[in-house]
Amino acid sequence: MLRLETHKEPLQPREQLVYAGAASLTDQQLLAILLRTGTKQLPVMTVAAQVLQTYPQLATLTHAKISELQQITGIGQTKAIELQAALELGRRCQLAAQLRFGTIASSQQVGEMMIKRFAGCRQEHLIVVYLDTKNQIIKEQELFRGTLNASIAHPREIFAYGLQLAAARFILVHNHPSGLTEPSNYDLKFTQRVASCGELMGIECLDHLIVGQQQYSSLKERGDL
């Protein structure tokens, strides 16, 4: 007797997610779910492919501006906003999982986390990781965004948050979008100023990390703190 074989159609991304879990999907399939629909001319999987062609490194997609995303055919303002929001939420979830109630054992531990945090970032950020007396993380707070200079960076904001959180110590972290980790003269002066204020306030500055491309520099290990 002849047996007729039935050929099942490939699962659509949403069906595959339900059937096998989100981890089973490709980057293109995950993007297609976030985008939901394509255009009259382009199916959603094609639009997703175009996004990945424009941003082959997912880390750079995380920092894409809405106006830049809109340059991709099939991505309007609404889709760009939704995509950016989804990526930012994912980044925050990952960072929260790394930092939540963790204990800092070394500057290397923070440096490795922040390399991932700043991957593909094209603007300078100053982050402060506040710790209690046991070096357990209380909070990671972004205080400044832009070139680190006297016009925007001032110790008072750092210690205002520190007092609110009853922090015992903290670690400064900022990135260099150029990828270089050599501290500037202002980086060194700013660090010394913050450390001196910390001695007066009773909130110790443990280190200042400068994060570049796949590497970081510790001012404490350099002997500059």
Side-chain angles (χ1 to χ4, degrees):
M1 179 183 293
L2 292 176
R3 293 183 178 177
L4 298 176
E5 294 185 358
T6 58
H7 297 278
K8 293 183 178 180
E9 292 292 329
L11 292 176
Q12 293 299 309
R14 291 174 183 273
E15 297 170 337
Q16 184 174 330
L17 189 150
V18 173
Y19 179 75
S24 70
L25 273 63
T26 64
D27 295 342
Q28 184 180 359
Q29 290 173 316
L30 289 170
L31 273 173
I33 290 176
L34 291 175
L35 295 173
R36 298 195 315 277
T37 60
T39 67
K40 291 181 179 179
Q41 293 77 26
L42 299 175
V44 67
M45 286 292 285
T46 301
V47 177
Q50 290 184 160
V51 174
L52 293 175
Q53 288 172 3
T54 306
Y55 299 97
Q57 300 295 325
L58 289 179
T60 58
L61 176 59
T62 304
H63 299 287
K65 296 179 180 178
I66 292 175
S67 59
E68 293 171 341
L69 290 170
Q70 287 183 260
Q71 299 303 311
I72 301 172
T73 303
I75 305 293
Q77 186 181 64
T78 299
K79 286 187 185 297
I81 291 171
E82 293 173 346
L83 183 58
Q84 192 177 72
L87 291 168
E88 175 62 16
L89 181 61
R91 186 195 66 78
R92 292 186 186 185
C93 287
Q94 181 186 38
L95 190 61
Q98 291 175 328
L99 293 180
R100 187 181 181 189
F101 303 124
T103 300
I104 295 301
S106 66
S107 293
Q108 180 182 356
Q109 183 182 355
V110 179
E112 290 175 351
M113 288 191 297
M114 292 300 171
I115 286 173
K116 297 178 182 178
R117 164 75 167 78
F118 289 124
C121 192
R122 292 173 291 182
Q123 192 176 26
E124 282 193 32
H125 299 250
L126 176 65
I127 285 176
V128 184
V129 181
Y130 292 100
L131 310 170
D132 64 14
T133 56
K134 296 180 180 180
N135 282 356
Q136 292 182 325
I137 296 168
I138 301 173
K139 188 174 184 180
E140 174 254 343
Q141 180 71 44
E142 180 180 305
L143 291 185
F144 308 107
R145 183 175 298 190
T147 302
L148 187 61
N149 56 50
S151 65
I152 62 168
H154 195 283
R156 62 174 170 264
E157 282 82 8
I158 294 172
F159 293 103
Y161 275 101
L163 291 171
Q164 289 178 20
L165 298 169
R169 49 186 65 99
F170 61 90
I171 296 175
L172 295 172
V173 186
H174 92 274
N175 66 309
H176 283 175
S178 65
L180 302 176
T181 58
E182 187 70 19
S184 67
N185 288 333
Y186 184 79
D187 292 339
L188 297 175
K189 292 179 181 178
F190 177 73
T191 304
Q192 291 296 333
R193 187 180 181 192
V194 170
S196 297
C197 291
E199 291 178 3
L200 293 174
M201 298 290 293
I203 307 176
E204 182 185 5
C205 178
L206 291 181
D207 205 345
H208 184 175
L209 304 181
I210 299 176
V211 180
Q213 185 69 28
Q214 299 301 319
Q215 58 185 346
Y216 71 92
S217 178
S218 163
L219 267 63
K220 182 155 190 163
E221 291 176 0
R222 288 170 49 98
D224 294 319
L225 178 60

